[in-house]
Amino acid sequence: MIRVLGIKGSPRVKSNSNLMLDKVVEGIKDTSKEPDIKIISPTKMDISPCQGCYNCEESGECIFNDDMEELYQDFDQADIILISTPVFFNGVSAQLKTMIDRCQAIWSSKYRAKGSIIDRDKKRFGFLLGSGGAPAYEGQFKGIYKVIDMFFKVTNTEWRGELLISNSDEVPIKERSHVLEEAYGIGKELVCDFN
Ligand SMILES: Cc1cc2nc3c(=O)[nH]c(=O)nc-3n(C[C@H](O)[C@H](O)[C@H](O)COP(=O)(O)O)c2cc1C
């Protein structure tokens, strides 16, 4: 069975980037693989921001006991990780960044503390869905790309691609059938490539 973890980074209900993630999931569901799918939204979760105390480097434990504890396990078990995010001030949403910063505990477990809390040899595929409201401009997605790249690296997830769409404030994704079709196709392909 293929485990899929979808992380919806936009806090908005009618979100462009989250809609793309939904379409990828639809594509995944329409395969014969019978995936186990879990969708989470950091906006709705109890995730405290990293305090940079480095307790995780010394003890291997984060000082916070919150929803990240379950997420560390979800990251470990996932075969495919999908992440959606809007571009906010050239970066990912604050809610998503808060979740990602807490992955310092994973980094510490790998390189400083008692032993990795993530299986470093497990095969995981990662895919990024991003929407920027402004018309395309130089470096519009560079910030989110770098942050997600680091997240995939710390979770030993192989970057499989990205769908980054500009001008979503003027033309919402829901009105762009070719984007939705592309997202759907990505879902099908991701699962097929996972063998
Ligand atoms: C706080 C904030 C900051 C934003 N900053 C940018 C930006 O730097 N570049 C850009 O292209 N769009 C920016 N936008 C527009 C969003 O990227 C756009 O509305 C996007 O489609 C939202 O995605 P969502 O619908 O998935 O939430 C910003 C919007 C907000 C609310």
Side-chain angles (χ1 to χ4, degrees):
M1 188 212 295
I2 293 181
R3 282 178 203 266
V4 179
L5 178 66
I7 303 169
K8 288 187 167 178
S10 173
R12 301 191 330 135
V13 178
K14 291 182 180 168
S15 150
N16 293 282
S17 54
N18 294 351
L19 174 61
M20 288 194 280
L21 188 145
D22 285 337
K23 281 286 159 187
V24 175
V25 168
E26 222 177 283
I28 290 174
K29 278 183 180 159
D30 285 352
T31 60
S32 54
K33 304 276 182 168
E34 293 182 14
D36 174 57
I37 297 169
K38 179 168 179 177
I39 306 291
I40 61 129
S41 168
T43 302
K44 296 178 188 155
M45 300 175 82
D46 173 27
I47 303 176
S48 297
C50 176
Q51 301 298 303
C53 65
Y54 290 103
N55 193 69
C56 57
E57 283 207 2
E58 284 146 31
S59 71
E61 304 277 323
C62 181
I63 53 165
F64 294 120
N65 296 316
D66 58 19
D67 289 343
M68 280 307 291
E69 287 180 59
E70 191 176 328
L71 281 185
Y72 294 135
Q73 290 176 34
D74 290 337
F75 300 152
D76 186 39
Q77 288 166 6
D79 298 304
I80 295 174
I81 301 181
L82 310 171
I83 301 191
S84 57
T85 183
V87 179
F88 279 177
F89 282 83
N90 282 345
V92 301
S93 70
Q95 292 84 350
L96 184 60
K97 186 65 164 59
T98 301
M99 183 204 84
I100 291 174
D101 284 357
R102 288 284 302 284
C103 292
Q104 180 66 12
I106 302 177
W107 188 92
S108 293
S109 77
K110 286 162 76 169
Y111 303 111
R112 293 281 184 273
K114 54 192 175 191
S116 181
I117 58 170
I118 196 138
D119 181 349
R120 302 163 95 161
D121 300 320
K122 181 174 156 51
K123 183 167 105 171
R124 292 181 198 84
F125 281 179
F127 203 96
L128 165 66
L129 295 314
S131 60
Y137 59 85
E138 169 109 31
Q140 186 174 24
F141 296 102
K142 203 172 170 185
I144 68 170
Y145 193 98
K146 294 295 252 182
V147 172
I148 302 304
D149 179 51
M150 200 64 137
F151 171 74
F152 284 158
K153 282 191 173 117
V154 82
T155 53
N156 291 81
T157 300
E158 183 187 327
W159 186 299
R160 293 296 289 187
E162 64 283 332
L163 183 58
L164 304 171
I165 304 296
S166 304
N167 206 25
S168 56
D169 284 348
E170 200 179 319
V171 190
I173 305 289
K174 67 173 184 330
E175 292 172 15
R176 298 198 218 178
S177 53
H178 65 284
V179 173
L180 297 174
E181 277 162 29
E182 191 176 343
Y184 179 82
I186 286 163
K188 289 202 136 181
E189 211 170 296
L190 271 176
V191 173
C192 288
D193 286 354
F194 200 89
N195 274 314

Tab-separated table of all heavy atoms in Angstrom, residues 4 17-31 37 80 82 127-129 163 179-191:
chain	number	residue	atom	x	y	z
A	4	VAL	N	0.187	8.252	1.322
A	4	VAL	CA	0.317	9.610	0.780
A	4	VAL	C	0.012	10.601	1.893
A	4	VAL	O	-1.010	10.482	2.567
A	4	VAL	CB	-0.672	9.834	-0.391
A	4	VAL	CG1	-0.554	11.255	-0.931
A	4	VAL	CG2	-0.437	8.806	-1.501
A	17	SER	N	-3.650	27.032	-4.162
A	17	SER	CA	-2.602	26.002	-4.048
A	17	SER	C	-3.160	24.702	-3.452
A	17	SER	O	-2.811	23.610	-3.895
A	17	SER	CB	-1.427	26.526	-3.212
A	17	SER	OG	-1.873	26.999	-1.960
A	18	ASN	N	-4.050	24.838	-2.462
A	18	ASN	CA	-4.640	23.629	-1.880
A	18	ASN	C	-5.518	22.896	-2.895
A	18	ASN	O	-5.615	21.664	-2.873
A	18	ASN	CB	-5.475	23.964	-0.630
A	18	ASN	CG	-4.624	24.481	0.515
A	18	ASN	OD1	-3.390	24.436	0.451
A	18	ASN	ND2	-5.256	24.975	1.562
A	19	LEU	N	-6.152	23.663	-3.780
A	19	LEU	CA	-6.983	23.042	-4.818
A	19	LEU	C	-6.110	22.188	-5.751
A	19	LEU	O	-6.500	21.087	-6.154
A	19	LEU	CB	-7.727	24.125	-5.619
A	19	LEU	CG	-8.529	23.645	-6.835
A	19	LEU	CD1	-9.627	22.657	-6.416
A	19	LEU	CD2	-9.161	24.822	-7.582
A	20	MET	N	-4.930	22.698	-6.052
A	20	MET	CA	-4.016	21.909	-6.899
A	20	MET	C	-3.644	20.605	-6.193
A	20	MET	O	-3.572	19.549	-6.814
A	20	MET	CB	-2.763	22.719	-7.233
A	20	MET	CG	-3.036	23.843	-8.211
A	20	MET	SD	-1.513	24.515	-8.901
A	20	MET	CE	-0.971	25.576	-7.611
A	21	LEU	N	-3.421	20.706	-4.889
A	21	LEU	CA	-3.090	19.487	-4.129
A	21	LEU	C	-4.259	18.498	-4.181
A	21	LEU	O	-4.072	17.294	-4.386
A	21	LEU	CB	-2.738	19.848	-2.684
A	21	LEU	CG	-2.189	18.704	-1.832
A	21	LEU	CD1	-1.130	19.230	-0.845
A	21	LEU	CD2	-3.270	17.991	-1.045
A	22	ASP	N	-5.487	19.036	-4.032
A	22	ASP	CA	-6.673	18.161	-4.114
A	22	ASP	C	-6.709	17.427	-5.446
A	22	ASP	O	-7.085	16.253	-5.513
A	22	ASP	CB	-7.959	18.981	-3.959
A	22	ASP	CG	-8.201	19.414	-2.521
A	22	ASP	OD1	-7.663	18.761	-1.601
A	22	ASP	OD2	-8.921	20.411	-2.314
A	23	LYS	N	-6.346	18.140	-6.503
A	23	LYS	CA	-6.380	17.517	-7.840
A	23	LYS	C	-5.317	16.430	-7.978
A	23	LYS	O	-5.558	15.399	-8.599
A	23	LYS	CB	-6.182	18.583	-8.927
A	23	LYS	CG	-7.435	19.349	-9.205
A	23	LYS	CD	-8.421	18.493	-10.003
A	23	LYS	CE	-9.839	19.020	-9.857
A	23	LYS	NZ	-10.845	18.126	-10.464
A	24	VAL	N	-4.140	16.673	-7.418
A	24	VAL	CA	-3.099	15.637	-7.449
A	24	VAL	C	-3.615	14.395	-6.703
A	24	VAL	O	-3.479	13.266	-7.181
A	24	VAL	CB	-1.777	16.138	-6.817
A	24	VAL	CG1	-0.754	15.012	-6.739
A	24	VAL	CG2	-1.207	17.306	-7.620
A	25	VAL	N	-4.241	14.634	-5.555
A	25	VAL	CA	-4.777	13.517	-4.760
A	25	VAL	C	-5.849	12.761	-5.553
A	25	VAL	O	-5.906	11.526	-5.531
A	25	VAL	CB	-5.332	14.033	-3.403
A	25	VAL	CG1	-6.145	12.959	-2.692
A	25	VAL	CG2	-4.191	14.508	-2.518
A	26	GLU	N	-6.678	13.528	-6.276
A	26	GLU	CA	-7.712	12.889	-7.121
A	26	GLU	C	-7.058	11.944	-8.132
A	26	GLU	O	-7.521	10.822	-8.337
A	26	GLU	CB	-8.461	13.994	-7.867
A	26	GLU	CG	-9.959	13.806	-7.928
A	26	GLU	CD	-10.600	15.001	-8.616
A	26	GLU	OE1	-10.727	16.059	-7.957
A	26	GLU	OE2	-10.943	14.901	-9.822
A	27	GLY	N	-5.978	12.417	-8.745
A	27	GLY	CA	-5.245	11.581	-9.711
A	27	GLY	C	-4.687	10.341	-9.052
A	27	GLY	O	-4.737	9.239	-9.610
A	28	ILE	N	-4.181	10.521	-7.847
A	28	ILE	CA	-3.618	9.372	-7.108
A	28	ILE	C	-4.716	8.351	-6.799
A	28	ILE	O	-4.531	7.147	-6.954
A	28	ILE	CB	-2.935	9.846	-5.801
A	28	ILE	CG1	-1.657	10.614	-6.131
A	28	ILE	CG2	-2.641	8.683	-4.873
A	28	ILE	CD1	-0.963	11.251	-4.939
A	29	LYS	N	-5.889	8.887	-6.400
A	29	LYS	CA	-7.006	7.982	-6.038
A	29	LYS	C	-7.488	7.192	-7.239
A	29	LYS	O	-7.939	6.060	-7.101
A	29	LYS	CB	-8.178	8.800	-5.480
A	29	LYS	CG	-8.027	9.165	-4.020
A	29	LYS	CD	-9.272	9.902	-3.553
A	29	LYS	CE	-9.187	10.300	-2.105
A	29	LYS	NZ	-10.109	11.404	-1.785
A	30	ASP	N	-7.422	7.799	-8.422
A	30	ASP	CA	-7.923	7.135	-9.628
A	30	ASP	C	-6.900	6.178	-10.230
A	30	ASP	O	-6.788	6.068	-11.451
A	30	ASP	CB	-8.337	8.187	-10.682
A	30	ASP	CG	-9.656	8.836	-10.312
A	30	ASP	OD1	-10.299	8.384	-9.360
A	30	ASP	OD2	-10.028	9.813	-10.989
A	31	THR	N	-6.149	5.544	-9.382
A	31	THR	CA	-5.230	4.518	-9.855
A	31	THR	C	-5.616	3.218	-9.163
A	31	THR	O	-6.460	3.216	-8.260
A	31	THR	CB	-3.758	4.850	-9.516
A	31	THR	OG1	-3.627	4.949	-8.102
A	31	THR	CG2	-3.293	6.139	-10.162
A	37	ILE	N	-4.423	7.673	2.215
A	37	ILE	CA	-4.186	9.123	2.056
A	37	ILE	C	-4.521	9.878	3.340
A	37	ILE	O	-5.610	9.713	3.906
A	37	ILE	CB	-5.034	9.679	0.887
A	37	ILE	CG1	-4.596	9.017	-0.428
A	37	ILE	CG2	-4.894	11.197	0.781
A	37	ILE	CD1	-5.497	9.271	-1.600
A	80	ILE	N	4.710	9.156	-0.341
A	80	ILE	CA	4.618	10.353	-1.182
A	80	ILE	C	4.193	11.521	-0.291
A	80	ILE	O	3.208	11.413	0.450
A	80	ILE	CB	3.581	10.163	-2.319
A	80	ILE	CG1	4.048	9.059	-3.279
A	80	ILE	CG2	3.339	11.467	-3.073
A	80	ILE	CD1	3.043	8.689	-4.361
A	82	LEU	N	3.036	15.453	-0.495
A	82	LEU	CA	2.624	16.570	-1.341
A	82	LEU	C	2.545	17.800	-0.447
A	82	LEU	O	2.019	17.725	0.662
A	82	LEU	CB	1.239	16.316	-1.940
A	82	LEU	CG	1.014	14.966	-2.632
A	82	LEU	CD1	-0.463	14.784	-2.959
A	82	LEU	CD2	1.863	14.894	-3.898
A	127	PHE	N	6.430	16.311	-3.843
A	127	PHE	CA	5.975	17.184	-4.935
A	127	PHE	C	5.423	18.478	-4.335
A	127	PHE	O	4.707	18.459	-3.335
A	127	PHE	CB	4.906	16.484	-5.787
A	127	PHE	CG	4.815	17.052	-7.173
A	127	PHE	CD1	5.492	16.452	-8.228
A	127	PHE	CD2	4.088	18.214	-7.423
A	127	PHE	CE1	5.443	16.998	-9.511
A	127	PHE	CE2	4.040	18.761	-8.688
A	127	PHE	CZ	4.707	18.152	-9.744
A	128	LEU	N	5.769	19.602	-4.977
A	128	LEU	CA	5.371	20.934	-4.486
A	128	LEU	C	4.333	21.580	-5.407
A	128	LEU	O	4.503	21.594	-6.628
A	128	LEU	CB	6.623	21.827	-4.426
A	128	LEU	CG	6.413	23.336	-4.280
A	128	LEU	CD1	5.781	23.676	-2.934
A	128	LEU	CD2	7.760	24.064	-4.429
A	129	LEU	N	3.284	22.121	-4.797
A	129	LEU	CA	2.267	22.875	-5.533
A	129	LEU	C	2.260	24.301	-4.986
A	129	LEU	O	2.044	24.483	-3.784
A	129	LEU	CB	0.872	22.292	-5.301
A	129	LEU	CG	0.467	20.877	-5.768
A	129	LEU	CD1	0.903	20.614	-7.203
A	129	LEU	CD2	0.968	19.799	-4.837
A	163	LEU	N	4.674	22.222	-9.369
A	163	LEU	CA	3.736	22.917	-10.249
A	163	LEU	C	3.547	24.291	-9.614
A	163	LEU	O	2.956	24.405	-8.533
A	163	LEU	CB	2.415	22.131	-10.331
A	163	LEU	CG	1.334	22.683	-11.271
A	163	LEU	CD1	1.850	22.795	-12.708
A	163	LEU	CD2	0.102	21.768	-11.239
A	179	VAL	N	-4.461	23.657	-15.826
A	179	VAL	CA	-3.652	23.479	-14.607
A	179	VAL	C	-4.216	22.326	-13.777
A	179	VAL	O	-3.479	21.470	-13.282
A	179	VAL	CB	-3.613	24.778	-13.769
A	179	VAL	CG1	-2.920	24.536	-12.430
A	179	VAL	CG2	-2.930	25.899	-14.528
A	180	LEU	N	-5.532	22.294	-13.673
A	180	LEU	CA	-6.173	21.239	-12.881
A	180	LEU	C	-5.928	19.873	-13.518
A	180	LEU	O	-5.673	18.888	-12.823
A	180	LEU	CB	-7.679	21.521	-12.748
A	180	LEU	CG	-8.006	22.824	-11.999
A	180	LEU	CD1	-9.493	23.128	-12.031
A	180	LEU	CD2	-7.521	22.770	-10.550
A	181	GLU	N	-5.986	19.846	-14.842
A	181	GLU	CA	-5.704	18.577	-15.548
A	181	GLU	C	-4.257	18.150	-15.342
A	181	GLU	O	-3.957	16.974	-15.142
A	181	GLU	CB	-5.964	18.728	-17.050
A	181	GLU	CG	-7.425	18.542	-17.432
A	181	GLU	CD	-7.730	19.118	-18.811
A	181	GLU	OE1	-6.816	19.140	-19.664
A	181	GLU	OE2	-8.868	19.570	-19.009
A	182	GLU	N	-3.378	19.144	-15.368
A	182	GLU	CA	-1.953	18.822	-15.175
A	182	GLU	C	-1.731	18.244	-13.771
A	182	GLU	O	-1.020	17.249	-13.596
A	182	GLU	CB	-1.100	20.080	-15.383
A	182	GLU	CG	0.375	19.756	-15.466
A	182	GLU	CD	1.244	20.982	-15.765
A	182	GLU	OE1	0.711	22.016	-16.223
A	182	GLU	OE2	2.462	20.877	-15.522
A	183	ALA	N	-2.367	18.876	-12.781
A	183	ALA	CA	-2.223	18.401	-11.398
A	183	ALA	C	-2.755	16.972	-11.270
A	183	ALA	O	-2.125	16.108	-10.641
A	183	ALA	CB	-2.959	19.334	-10.440
A	184	TYR	N	-3.888	16.727	-11.893
A	184	TYR	CA	-4.485	15.383	-11.860
A	184	TYR	C	-3.519	14.353	-12.468
A	184	TYR	O	-3.283	13.283	-11.901
A	184	TYR	CB	-5.809	15.421	-12.637
A	184	TYR	CG	-6.525	14.099	-12.722
A	184	TYR	CD1	-7.334	13.643	-11.686
A	184	TYR	CD2	-6.400	13.296	-13.866
A	184	TYR	CE1	-7.999	12.423	-11.771
A	184	TYR	CE2	-7.063	12.079	-13.962
A	184	TYR	CZ	-7.857	11.652	-12.916
A	184	TYR	OH	-8.500	10.440	-13.005
A	185	GLY	N	-2.931	14.716	-13.600
A	185	GLY	CA	-1.980	13.821	-14.276
A	185	GLY	C	-0.739	13.569	-13.433
A	185	GLY	O	-0.196	12.466	-13.427
A	186	ILE	N	-0.318	14.601	-12.703
A	186	ILE	CA	0.859	14.451	-11.826
A	186	ILE	C	0.585	13.378	-10.776
A	186	ILE	O	1.434	12.548	-10.471
A	186	ILE	CB	1.205	15.815	-11.169
A	186	ILE	CG1	1.842	16.743	-12.201
A	186	ILE	CG2	2.120	15.632	-9.957
A	186	ILE	CD1	1.861	18.207	-11.818
A	187	GLY	N	-0.624	13.400	-10.227
A	187	GLY	CA	-0.994	12.402	-9.220
A	187	GLY	C	-0.878	10.989	-9.776
A	187	GLY	O	-0.313	10.098	-9.140
A	188	LYS	N	-1.425	10.808	-10.959
A	188	LYS	CA	-1.380	9.466	-11.577
A	188	LYS	C	0.063	9.025	-11.807
A	188	LYS	O	0.437	7.880	-11.530
A	188	LYS	CB	-2.132	9.480	-12.910
A	188	LYS	CG	-3.628	9.610	-12.738
A	188	LYS	CD	-4.363	9.103	-13.945
A	188	LYS	CE	-5.540	8.260	-13.465
A	188	LYS	NZ	-6.323	7.679	-14.508
A	189	GLU	N	0.846	9.969	-12.314
A	189	GLU	CA	2.243	9.654	-12.643
A	189	GLU	C	3.068	9.331	-11.393
A	189	GLU	O	3.849	8.387	-11.375
A	189	GLU	CB	2.842	10.870	-13.345
A	189	GLU	CG	3.905	10.537	-14.368
A	189	GLU	CD	4.256	11.763	-15.170
A	189	GLU	OE1	3.380	12.288	-15.885
A	189	GLU	OE2	5.378	12.223	-15.018
A	190	LEU	N	2.852	10.134	-10.350
A	190	LEU	CA	3.623	9.934	-9.110
A	190	LEU	C	3.458	8.513	-8.592
A	190	LEU	O	4.419	7.868	-8.181
A	190	LEU	CB	3.125	10.902	-8.029
A	190	LEU	CG	3.762	12.282	-7.937
A	190	LEU	CD1	3.052	13.099	-6.878
A	190	LEU	CD2	5.245	12.184	-7.634
A	191	VAL	N	2.222	8.040	-8.605
A	191	VAL	CA	1.954	6.701	-8.087
A	191	VAL	C	2.563	5.648	-8.999
A	191	VAL	O	3.149	4.674	-8.532
A	191	VAL	CB	0.433	6.479	-7.921
A	191	VAL	CG1	0.144	5.047	-7.547
A	191	VAL	CG2	-0.101	7.385	-6.836
